[in-house]
Amino acid sequence: MSLETTPDLLDRSLGQLARKIPGATAIFNQHGLDFCCGGNKSLRRAAEEKHLDSETLVNSLLAIVTKGETSSTDTMPLSDLIDYILENFHQVHRAELPELLRLANKVERVHADKPDCPHGLSEHLLHMAQELEMHMQKEEQILFPMIKQGSGSMVLGPISVMRHEHDDHAAALRELERLTNNMTPPLGACNTWRALYLGLQKLRSDLMEHIHLENNLLFVKQEEQFTTPPLNATPYSRYS
């Protein structure tokens, strides 16, 4: 499949590509592209801002497009998608964050005199955990039941609030990266330090996927039910 016979992937948004091409999120993660809260940005613009070779990105995407796979989450009924998010992200965050907090406290306490010590990490991580817990409770107690019960356009208000909070989570991840040198342990780091940063890498990956599924799939499908497309709008292709 040549570039000439495919839609212009560079002008599609990261969110659209992540939603429609299984495996795209792994490529975006590899290159540090924000497909969750930055999902409205085109691949072309995102590549330019990161000084990445856009042709390489397109070829990587086309390589997995030709497999003809379909994302299971993309075709899930909304009720099933919500259950998937609860099981694979809400429960996982709650299970893993306490241990990450314990490790962060230990690293800061034991290695406080070292120049690479991530001072302020445990405090920031605690704030992230608290904010994320409140956010998940709002989804579980308000938004998700509204979607499952078919509450109509009333869901648009809570969705707007959740999108705003997702932006806050993305900002918290950027601060997490700054505090930890992009979650890279220093030379000679102890096993606890290495385990902490490995866990933080997983948290970042999970949280970005979590936000992506909500922002670019669950919320979009809800919003599309209550918004009228422009008269000059054209249907998306299978890669849109």
Side-chain angles (χ1 to χ4, degrees):
M1 184 181 295
S2 67
L3 285 173
E4 291 76 20
T5 60
T6 60
D8 190 355
L9 300 184
L10 284 172
D11 291 324
R12 300 298 185 186
S13 73
L14 297 180
Q16 290 171 346
L17 295 171
R19 173 180 170 181
K20 290 296 185 180
I21 302 179
T25 58
I27 294 172
F28 296 157
N29 269 323
Q30 179 185 353
H31 294 283
L33 298 177
D34 179 8
F35 59 89
C36 54
C37 292
N40 290 330
K41 192 176 297 182
S42 71
L43 178 61
R44 185 189 307 277
R45 179 183 168 194
E48 289 174 353
E49 291 179 355
K50 287 279 190 176
H51 306 291
L52 299 172
D53 180 32
S54 58
E55 184 177 352
T56 298
L57 290 171
V58 168
N59 288 337
S60 296
L61 291 171
L62 290 177
I64 56 178
V65 164
T66 56
K67 295 179 181 179
E69 298 173 351
T70 302
S71 171
S72 59
T73 53
D74 187 49
T75 57
M76 280 183 183
L78 294 188
S79 180
D80 291 348
L81 179 58
I82 287 173
D83 291 340
Y84 179 87
I85 290 170
L86 291 172
E87 179 180 353
N88 291 277
F89 300 103
H90 285 216
Q91 292 182 21
V92 170
H93 295 329
R94 287 182 173 124
E96 295 182 351
L97 275 164
E99 176 63 7
L100 292 177
L101 282 164
R102 186 189 71 81
L103 293 174
N105 276 298
K106 182 176 180 180
V107 168
E108 282 196 77
R109 183 179 69 253
V110 174
H111 302 287
D113 60 338
K114 294 183 179 178
D116 293 319
C117 180
H119 295 291
L121 174 59
S122 55
E123 181 180 358
H124 178 67
L125 196 57
L126 176 60
H127 179 71
M128 279 188 68
Q130 292 170 338
E131 291 296 312
L132 187 57
E133 178 59 33
M134 288 190 292
H135 176 84
M136 293 189 297
Q137 287 186 20
K138 291 174 189 175
E139 291 183 333
E140 293 164 5
Q141 297 172 13
I142 300 173
L143 178 58
F144 290 172
M146 290 178 70
I147 294 176
K148 285 191 172 187
Q149 294 164 12
S151 299
S153 61
M154 291 176 60
V155 301
L156 298 181
I159 283 176
S160 178
V161 173
M162 294 300 99
R163 283 189 182 277
H164 178 74
E165 293 186 3
H166 285 168
D167 291 341
D168 293 339
H169 296 328
L173 281 177
R174 290 192 292 271
E175 176 62 10
L176 194 64
E177 292 167 350
R178 186 192 70 81
L179 288 169
T180 61
N181 188 29
N182 198 28
M183 302 169 196
T184 305
L187 186 66
C190 68
N191 289 335
T192 298
W193 205 332
R194 292 181 179 278
L196 169 63
Y197 281 15
L198 186 63
L200 292 178
Q201 290 170 18
K202 183 178 185 300
L203 172 66
R204 174 176 58 184
S205 177
D206 286 349
L207 188 53
M208 289 186 68
E209 182 70 14
H210 179 180
I211 294 173
H212 157 64
L213 288 177
E214 293 183 357
N215 274 6
N216 302 321
L217 190 56
L218 180 65
F219 295 171
V220 165
K221 287 189 174 184
Q222 280 291 284
E223 290 163 338
E224 286 175 345
Q225 296 180 27
F226 308 109
T227 56
T228 303
L231 294 177
N232 60 349
T234 56
Y236 289 142
S237 72
R238 62 177 285 220
Y239 304 121
S240 65

